[in-house]
């Protein structure tokens, strides 16, 4: 993996675009044409899950949508359809900050957090208007199923995965709804009370972005899902559950920037002490590895953790490649530096890194040198008992790479819900960003196409996340009691065994 990382800090244009302004179709077509060319040149995962014919088809649709002038928000939604269709959780497309602030100012947001439980949209906030746990059927006459499908494009996942979109819905439902359907003067909510089927209606008032955020911080499910949306203060922990079972929780791999970082060194020492303890206590035969909140991070945290769970030599990935060694369309590239001279130096450093790590050109691709993907050995204190791994839709990037290695190359029994990160492969490691010249919409994606070092499994479908051996979903009753459904199920399995 490249040690060099691009940090995107840039100056925004000193103007505010009216949310009612319509852009000339010709300007929008220019941006869309450049957007397509950039992704064809730079995005090594463009045809990972879609054929060239399918990609060409969605662009034909996109161009057909801009025959007339359009507002910026409507053009943005077209771009979102494309980036979501590609199928990479590292795709991120954003509006100019000034526009978004203006577009979303005032009391325009749905006031209460929601959560998807067993495909039902539930109110996730104690309030005096609509009781906690009520099921929402429609908002302002729009059925929930239609709302959800229209919001999926705002939160990208790997391949054809849908479960991971629940993370975006849970954290940003009000924001997505406002962007999709515009500012609302009020919300007519059709709902039913908990454990009832009779439909009721209630009109509630919108709130500001500040109140929306505050309500989300105080959502009812905070004790269970708090780590899904916030960087964990305690990034990892080791807990003795019983005389024969322990729980290792790794909530993130954002533990230092590289192998020499003090945070990573401390993490490695912590793992050493944990697994030395296990090797000395042979009566402990069950290890629960909880990575349900792990949205990724940096190397080598994921690979080091795996070294304590595997019994055989392994690699981080089976293969990796990029599409270029020299940055295409440099005039639209978003640099960390603002000084022209320093931008040239930054670009040269980045391209030198690419040439070193991906030197071999074959069939239009630059493949990774093996020294960046060496054969690694299990740790001497590796665990030799039964592993149980808890997974969820939150798992992504380095988190899903780790979970894939565990699911494919150990005796782990996998429990929970499908991950948003792919089992077989993904695009990751090195993000880059471009800014479209007319609309100033920014698009970010990762350029390294990775095939993970995992075997084919009958329950693993290409284009999907890691499929659990035991699919265990939180029930409505467990939601209302803030009960950890997956962990309780796992402990019962161990007890019965």
């Amino acid at each position: 993996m490249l040690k060099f990382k691009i940090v995107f800090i840039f100056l925004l244009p000193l103007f505010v675009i009216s949310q009612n302004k319509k852009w000339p179709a010709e300007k929008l077509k220019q941006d869309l044409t450049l957007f397509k060319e950039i992704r064809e040149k730079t995005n090594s995962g463009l045809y990972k899950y879609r054929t060239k014919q399918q990609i060409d088809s969605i662009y034909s649709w996109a161009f057909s949508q801009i025959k007339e002038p359009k507002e910026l928000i409507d053009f943005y939604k077209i771009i979102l359809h494309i980036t979501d269709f590609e199928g990479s959780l590292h795709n991120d497309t954003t509006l100019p900050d000034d526009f978004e602030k203006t577009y979303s100012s005032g009391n325009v947001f749905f006031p209460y957090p929601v959560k998807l439980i067993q495909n039902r949209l539930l109110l996730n906030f104690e309030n005096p208007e609509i009781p906690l746990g009520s099921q929402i059927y429609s908002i302002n006459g729009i059925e929930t199923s239609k709302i959800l499908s229209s919001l999926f494009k705002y939160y990208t996942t790997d391949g054809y995965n849908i479960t991971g979109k629940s993370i975006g819905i849970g954290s940003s439902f009000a924001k997505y709804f406002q962007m999709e359907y515009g500012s609302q003067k009020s919300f007519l909510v059709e709902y039913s009370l908990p454990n009832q089927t009779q439909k009721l209606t209630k009109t509630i008032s919108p709130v500001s972005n500040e109140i929306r955020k505050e309500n989300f911080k105080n959502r009812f499910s905070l004790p269970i899902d708090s780590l899904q949306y916030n960087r964990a203060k305690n990034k990892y922990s080791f807990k003795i559950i019983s005389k024969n079972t322990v729980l290792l929780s790794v909530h993130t791999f954002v533990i230092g920037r590289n192998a020499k970082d003090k945070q990573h060194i401390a993490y490695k020492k912590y793992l050493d002490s944990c697994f030395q303890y296990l090797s000395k206590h042979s009566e402990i035969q069950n290890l629960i590895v909880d990575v349900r909140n792990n949205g990724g991070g940096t190397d080598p945290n994921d690979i080091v953790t795996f070294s304590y769970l595997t019994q055989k030599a392994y690699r981080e990935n089976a293969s990796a490649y990029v599409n270029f060694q020299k940055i295409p369309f440099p005039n639209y590239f978003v640099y960390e530096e603002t000084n022209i001279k320093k931008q040239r130096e930054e670009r040269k450093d980045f391209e030198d890194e690419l040439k070193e790590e991906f030197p071999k050109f074959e069939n239009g691709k630059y493949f990774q040198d093996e020294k960046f993907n060496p054969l690694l050995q299990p740790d001497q204190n590796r665990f030799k008992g039964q592993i149980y791994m808890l997974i969820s839709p939150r798992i992504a990037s380095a988190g899903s790479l780790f979970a894939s290695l565990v699911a494919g190359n150990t005796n782990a029994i996998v429990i929970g819900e499908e991950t948003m990160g792919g089992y077989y492969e993904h695009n990751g490691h090195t993000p880059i960003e471009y800014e479209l010249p007319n609309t100033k919409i920014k698009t970010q994606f990762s350029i390294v196409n990775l095939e993970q070092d995992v075997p084919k499994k009958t329950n693993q479908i290409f284009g999907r996340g890691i499929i659990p051996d035991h699919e265990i979903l939180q029930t409505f009753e467990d939601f209302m009691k803030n009960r950890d459904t997956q962990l309780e199920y796992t402990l019962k399995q161990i007890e019965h065994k």
Side-chain angles (χ1 to χ4, degrees):
M1 176 180 175
L2 291 176
K3 295 183 179 124
F4 176 76
K5 296 290 181 185
I6 302 173
V7 181
F8 305 106
I9 303 173
F10 46 90
L11 296 176
L12 291 166
L14 299 177
F15 61 86
V16 177
I17 305 169
S18 168
Q19 62 177 342
N20 296 317
K21 174 183 175 180
K22 289 195 174 183
W23 286 78
E26 191 59 35
K27 292 287 186 183
L28 299 179
K29 287 180 180 179
Q30 288 173 5
D31 274 9
L32 182 57
T33 299
L34 177 62
F35 181 85
K36 183 174 186 286
E37 291 174 350
I38 286 172
R39 300 186 93 80
E40 288 174 339
K41 290 282 187 182
T42 61
N43 186 357
S44 61
L46 184 62
Y47 305 117
K48 185 190 294 288
Y49 302 110
R50 308 293 184 183
T51 65
K52 187 178 186 304
Q53 183 180 9
Q54 288 173 320
I55 293 295
D56 289 344
S57 177
I58 196 170
Y59 277 102
S60 295
W61 165 83
F63 278 106
S64 74
Q65 300 301 302
I66 51 176
K67 294 178 180 178
E68 302 292 336
K70 277 192 175 293
E71 292 181 16
L72 182 60
I73 190 70
D74 294 321
F75 179 67
Y76 173 66
K77 292 175 187 177
I78 292 171
I79 297 293
L80 287 181
H81 271 294
I82 297 171
T83 54
D84 182 46
F85 185 73
E86 286 177 0
S88 174
L89 60 84
H90 288 108
N91 284 357
D92 189 21
T93 305
T94 55
L95 287 159
D97 285 0
D98 282 355
F99 175 88
E100 190 165 342
K101 287 177 183 177
T102 303
Y103 185 78
S104 300
S105 61
N107 294 332
V108 296
F109 293 101
F110 189 80
Y112 304 128
V114 296
K115 188 170 185 179
L116 276 170
I117 300 292
Q118 296 178 320
N119 295 319
R120 293 186 291 170
L121 190 66
L122 304 183
L123 203 70
N124 189 17
F125 189 80
E126 294 185 285
N127 70 92
E129 297 184 297
I130 300 177
L132 169 72
S134 294
Q135 180 177 351
I136 298 173
Y137 295 97
S138 70
I139 299 175
N140 288 349
I142 310 168
E143 292 185 358
T144 297
S145 58
K146 182 178 179 181
I147 292 173
L148 294 177
S149 62
S150 71
L151 302 188
F152 282 170
K153 63 180 174 287
Y154 292 92
Y155 196 86
T156 58
T157 55
D158 277 351
Y160 319 118
N161 172 264
I162 295 297
T163 63
K165 294 180 182 294
S166 65
I167 302 300
I169 297 297
S171 63
S172 302
F173 176 82
K175 181 180 178 181
Y176 295 165
F177 189 96
Q178 190 269 339
M179 295 183 77
E180 183 68 15
Y181 297 104
S183 300
Q184 308 289 314
K185 295 181 179 179
S186 62
F187 297 97
L188 177 62
V189 182
E190 183 182 35
Y191 67 97
S192 64
L193 298 173
N195 295 315
Q196 295 186 25
T197 57
Q198 181 184 357
K199 293 183 179 180
L200 307 170
T201 59
K202 180 75 174 182
T203 299
I204 57 179
S205 299
V207 298
S208 66
N209 199 32
E210 290 71 25
I211 294 177
R212 174 189 76 86
K213 291 178 180 179
E214 192 63 27
N215 286 349
F216 179 70
K217 290 179 183 177
N218 295 306
R219 65 195 180 281
F220 174 74
S221 63
L222 182 66
I224 291 296
D225 66 11
S226 61
L227 297 176
Q228 290 186 349
Y229 306 106
N230 303 303
R231 187 169 292 181
K233 293 181 181 179
N234 298 318
K235 297 182 178 182
Y236 45 88
S237 63
F238 184 80
K239 182 180 180 181
I240 299 173
I241 301 295
S242 68
K243 63 181 181 180
N244 66 355
T245 302
V246 298
L247 170 65
L248 173 67
S249 300
V250 186
H251 303 305
T252 179
F253 286 129
V254 182
I255 312 172
R257 304 179 74 176
N258 52 50
K260 297 180 180 179
D261 192 287
K262 291 181 180 179
Q263 286 190 51
H264 169 76
I265 293 171
Y267 176 58
K268 178 67 168 63
K269 288 182 178 178
Y270 184 84
L271 289 176
D272 280 338
S273 65
C274 293
F275 284 89
Q276 284 175 18
Y277 177 87
L278 291 177
S279 66
K280 292 176 182 178
H281 292 78
S282 58
E283 71 276 10
I284 300 177
Q285 288 297 305
N286 303 297
L287 171 62
I288 303 171
V289 180
D290 185 359
V291 287
R292 286 175 293 174
N293 298 301
N294 199 314
T298 54
D299 279 346
N301 297 299
D302 49 353
I303 301 304
V304 164
T305 310
F306 180 67
S307 71
Y308 293 94
L309 305 178
T310 184
Q311 308 301 315
K312 58 184 180 181
Y314 65 98
R315 297 182 191 274
E316 180 176 11
N317 47 264
S319 70
Y321 66 84
V322 297
N323 276 5
F324 63 91
Q325 290 181 331
K326 288 185 175 294
I327 296 173
F329 305 100
N331 291 340
Y332 308 107
F333 191 80
V334 177
Y335 294 90
E336 176 182 358
E337 301 290 347
T338 55
N339 178 277
I340 297 297
K341 182 180 178 181
K342 290 185 177 180
Q343 284 183 354
R344 292 196 191 105
E345 294 173 356
E346 178 185 329
R347 178 181 170 186
K348 183 180 183 303
D349 289 343
F350 180 51
E351 291 176 343
D352 287 346
E353 291 271 357
L354 287 176
K355 290 172 185 175
E356 181 185 6
E357 183 168 351
F358 301 94
K360 184 180 178 182
F361 185 72
E362 187 177 309
N363 297 324
K365 303 169 184 175
Y366 295 92
F367 284 87
Q368 186 181 52
D369 190 286
E370 191 170 316
K371 69 180 180 181
F372 291 92
N373 185 37
L375 186 67
L376 302 170
Q377 299 298 321
D379 191 90
Q380 62 180 355
N381 290 312
R382 61 191 178 276
F383 183 70
K384 297 178 181 178
Q386 179 63 59
I387 299 169
Y388 297 83
M389 182 170 64
L390 305 185
I391 63 172
S392 81
R394 180 68 185 91
I395 297 175
S397 194
S400 57
L401 187 147
F402 166 80
S404 295
L405 292 176
V406 174
N409 298 306
T410 75
N411 70 351
I413 297 171
V414 184
I415 296 169
E417 298 179 68
E418 179 186 351
T419 66
M420 79 166 83
Y423 172 79
Y424 287 108
E425 50 188 84
H426 75 285
N427 260 55
H429 283 343
T430 305
I432 63 172
E433 188 169 43
Y434 285 88
E435 183 177 88
L436 301 180
N438 296 320
T439 59
K440 305 302 180 185
I441 286 174
K442 293 172 287 294
T443 180
Q444 183 183 126
F445 51 95
S446 290
I447 64 172
V448 183
N449 193 318
L450 300 161
E451 181 183 343
Q452 287 153 201
D453 189 18
V454 295
K456 289 186 177 180
K457 296 180 68 176
T458 55
N459 71 327
Q460 291 295 161
I461 304 166
F462 179 76
R464 296 280 299 277
I466 300 155
I467 307 295
D469 299 310
H470 300 263
E471 184 182 41
I472 305 298
L473 310 177
Q474 188 180 40
T475 64
F476 173 77
E477 290 74 19
D478 286 351
F479 164 73
M480 293 298 290
K481 294 178 181 179
N482 266 326
R483 199 154 50 198
D484 192 334
T485 309
Q486 288 94 10
L487 181 57
E488 290 191 9
Y489 174 88
T490 305
L491 294 174
K492 287 180 181 178
Q493 291 296 303
I494 292 172
E495 181 183 349
H496 293 326
K497 183 186 72 170

